[in-house]
């Protein structure tokens, strides 16, 4: 990667300088508190190194999709509290990420101190990559560091527009580590097993198209499997389905076949009459009328687990069923333990798969837990990431 890193930046010195760190602190909130702090923890090493170097650290992030309007529910304030708690240091907060309030907060920031700016996406200029907004952000910085791997696939003002407007720019440790680990999937030791789940084909179509010819084995789970099965004339009862995607799924299957790869679909299913934790469940091969598939069945989970044992490299994104509800969690858990137990180099991405890994407590047996969902999917398909490209000037 032809991008200056933190080592370079620190070697040149940052003491007393205003270092603007674009982080991805886009975490789930529940009742006004951070519900999952994995992205915050992952952002800490870069922040610490900058503090130790005597920088005046200005952190910026988005949270959710407020569409250019202020939304009290999407304030980064609770994130500032949680991050301060995790780091064991004080973090000041500015109610706006640009303008007088931000300027004076930055002005008051001393060496080795941290400031978090309010949600960048409260301004429409962020997502539009508006030049004036980029100039306003750059005005808060002597040095720019991008550590927001999860947002690297977005060409926004804080990830792209700002870069040519600052005199020094570098990538943070998280961004660098993510690119290194995900390169293992881009250029894998074979066989590469990709396990892709989740509710909808439409959300993951581009990754399916990218992986079908690339992965030696592509194993499909989650509700998206029913669209594949229905497209082939299989019985899916009342399961979630996207008939307007039948042609896409058939194209993905053809792409895998023509490349000599194997695409695996569930051969059995855990079904219920409704998506409810108290519903009575049953394992079937063909889903009858009135029933809906809510998890892969035990035979399928066993087949996918066997593939995980044989693989040399594994990429997993997306749950195998409605794992938030215990009766439909078994498939996801079986896959999670198989990935953890496998001798293969394993990379897991996407919020739901990470949650499943954390629930099982097997995170330490996965080689890399990616903080990026969309960004990791784009990257392993060989697409340029605008946040990275911007640094490569
Ligand atoms: C994410 O969680 O996907 C990243 O933070 C980017 O957010 P976005 O999908 O709303 O652009
Ligand atoms: Mg996203």
């Amino acid at each position: 990667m032809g991008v200056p890193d933190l080592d370079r930046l620190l070697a040149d010195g940052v003491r007393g300088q205003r270092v603007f760190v674009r982080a991805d602190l886009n975490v789930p909130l529940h009742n006004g508190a951070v519900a999952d702090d994995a992205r915050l923890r992952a952002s800490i090493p870069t922040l610490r190194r900058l503090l130790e170097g005597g920088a005046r650290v200005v952190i910026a992030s988005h949270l959710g999709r407020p569409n250019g309007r202020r939304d009290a529910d999407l304030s980064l304030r609770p994130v500032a509290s949680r991050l301060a708690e995790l780091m064991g240091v004080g973090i000041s907060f500015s109610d706006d990420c640009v303008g007088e309030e931000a300027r004076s907060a930055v002005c008051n920031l001393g060496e080795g101190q941290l400031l978090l700016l309010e949600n960048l996406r409260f301004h429409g200029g962020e997502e539009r990559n508006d030049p004036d907004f980029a100039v306003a952000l750059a005005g808060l910085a002597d040095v720019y560091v991008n550590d927001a791997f999860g947002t690297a696939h977005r060409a926004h003002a804080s990830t792209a527009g700002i870069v040519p407007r600052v005199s020094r720019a570098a990538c943070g440790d998280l961004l660098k580590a993510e690119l290194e680990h995900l390169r293992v999937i881009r250029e894998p030791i074979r066989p590469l097993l990709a396990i892709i789940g989740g509710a909808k084909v439409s959300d993951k179509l581009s990754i399916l198209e990218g992986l079908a010819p690339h992965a030696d084995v592509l194993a499909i789970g989650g509700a998206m499997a029913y669209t594949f099965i229905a497209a082939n004339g299989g019985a899916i009862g009342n399961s979630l389905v996207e008939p307007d995607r039948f042609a896409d799924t058939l194209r993905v299957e053809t792409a895998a076949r023509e490349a000599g790869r194997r695409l695996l679909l569930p051969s059995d299913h855990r079904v219920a009459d409704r998506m409810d934790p108290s519903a009575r469940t049953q394992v079937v091969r063909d889903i009858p009328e009135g029933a809906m598939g809510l998890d892969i069945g035990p035979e399928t989970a066993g087949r996918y687990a066997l593939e995980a044992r044989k693989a040399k490299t594994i990429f997993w994104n997306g749950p195998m069923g409605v794992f938030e509800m215990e009766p439909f969690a078994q498939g996801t858990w079986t896959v999670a333990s198989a990935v953890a137990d496998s001798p293969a180099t394993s990379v897991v991405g996407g919020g739901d798969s990470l949650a499943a890994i954390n629930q099982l407590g097997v995170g330490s047996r996965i080689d890399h837990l990616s903080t990026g969902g969309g960004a990791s999917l784009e990257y392993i398909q060989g697409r340029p990431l605008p946040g990275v490209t911007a640094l490569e000037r």
Side-chain angles (χ1 to χ4, degrees):
M1 184 180 51
V3 173
D5 62 8
L6 214 53
D7 297 339
R8 256 275 288 290
L9 195 72
L10 290 167
D12 292 343
V14 292
R15 183 158 306 276
Q17 307 233 325
R18 299 168 303 162
V19 180
F20 184 103
V21 180
R22 183 21 164 132
D24 188 333
L25 309 181
N26 182 29
V27 292
L29 298 179
H30 187 66
N31 293 334
V34 172
D36 179 75
D37 58 18
R39 277 182 167 171
L40 308 190
R41 291 173 189 276
S43 301
I44 291 175
T46 290
L47 299 175
R48 276 210 204 289
R49 291 185 71 195
L50 289 167
L51 292 182
E52 282 158 15
R56 299 158 61 202
V57 181
V58 181
I59 316 165
S61 176
H62 71 286
L63 180 69
R65 294 176 175 172
N67 289 322
R69 276 184 300 273
R70 210 163 247 286
D71 176 346
D73 291 337
L74 294 176
S75 169
L76 278 166
R77 250 183 208 286
V79 171
S81 316
R82 183 69 188 129
L83 186 60
E85 207 172 281
L86 288 169
M87 293 186 72
V89 300
I91 298 183
S92 48
F93 189 78
S94 164
D95 269 322
D96 201 349
C97 61
V98 288
E100 195 36 51
E101 162 129 28
R103 274 195 301 276
S104 87
V106 173
C107 207
N108 290 330
L109 197 61
E111 277 184 18
Q113 292 185 344
L114 286 167
L115 164 72
L116 176 60
L117 302 174
E118 183 55 288
N119 197 338
L120 291 159
R121 291 189 186 170
F122 284 178
H123 293 266
E126 164 65 356
E127 290 183 80
R128 278 201 311 276
N129 195 7
D130 176 70
D132 294 332
F133 186 68
V135 166
L137 293 176
L140 304 174
D142 302 309
V143 179
Y144 170 80
V145 171
N146 191 348
D147 210 21
F149 175 70
T151 322
H153 59 316
R154 309 283 183 218
H156 292 172
S158 68
T159 59
I162 185 174
V163 184
R165 297 180 164 90
V166 293
S167 53
R168 283 203 286 162
C171 68
D173 285 348
L174 173 63
L175 181 63
K176 185 176 163 183
E178 289 271 16
L179 297 178
E180 277 168 13
H181 282 106
L182 289 166
R183 198 164 296 129
V184 170
I185 307 301
R186 215 164 146 155
E187 296 147 21
I189 299 174
R190 295 184 180 277
L192 165 65
L193 165 66
I195 308 168
I196 304 295
K200 290 181 175 172
V201 170
S202 48
D203 287 343
K204 305 255 166 103
L205 187 59
S206 80
I207 183 69
L208 292 168
E209 284 175 328
L211 285 170
H214 178 60
D216 298 274
V217 183
L218 174 57
I220 309 275
M224 71 163 75
Y226 309 122
T227 296
F228 276 85
I229 293 168
N232 286 296
I236 59 155
N238 289 350
S239 307
L240 195 68
V241 64
E242 294 174 281
D244 56 332
R245 295 292 170 182
F246 285 174
D248 293 320
T249 60
L250 295 172
R251 208 172 55 245
V252 167
E253 288 185 81
T254 307
R257 198 170 45 242
E258 285 177 353
R261 311 296 193 197
R262 287 189 297 137
L263 186 142
L264 307 181
L265 291 174
S267 44
D268 64 341
H269 316 275
R270 189 167 299 274
V271 304
D273 58 350
R274 64 210 145 90
M275 193 188 346
D276 186 300
S278 64
R280 272 237 322 277
T281 77
Q282 204 186 337
V283 173
V284 298
R285 272 185 198 289
D286 297 310
I287 304 179
E289 274 316 311
M292 66 197 304
L294 294 164
D295 191 11
I296 57 174
E299 176 186 274
T300 306
R303 284 167 53 221
Y304 292 2
L306 181 65
E307 295 296 339
R309 281 199 286 283
K310 292 192 296 192
K312 289 253 176 5
T313 309
I314 302 176
F315 177 73
W316 177 28
N317 179 290
M320 298 290 101
V322 187
F323 77 103
E324 303 88 335
M325 298 180 187
E326 217 237 271
F328 316 116
Q330 197 54 53
T332 301
W333 287 353
T334 301
V335 165
S337 354
V339 174
D341 289 341
S342 167
T345 303
S346 51
V347 175
V348 177
D352 289 333
S353 335
L354 290 186
I357 293 282
N358 289 333
Q359 274 175 25
L360 274 180
V362 294
S364 62
R365 288 193 281 137
I366 306 290
D367 292 279
H368 183 63
L369 300 172
S370 178
T371 55
S376 58
L377 299 183
E378 299 272 325
Y379 181 70
I380 60 177
Q381 287 170 76
R383 304 230 174 99
L385 297 175
V388 176
T389 315
L391 294 172
E392 281 168 349
R393 55 182 175 136

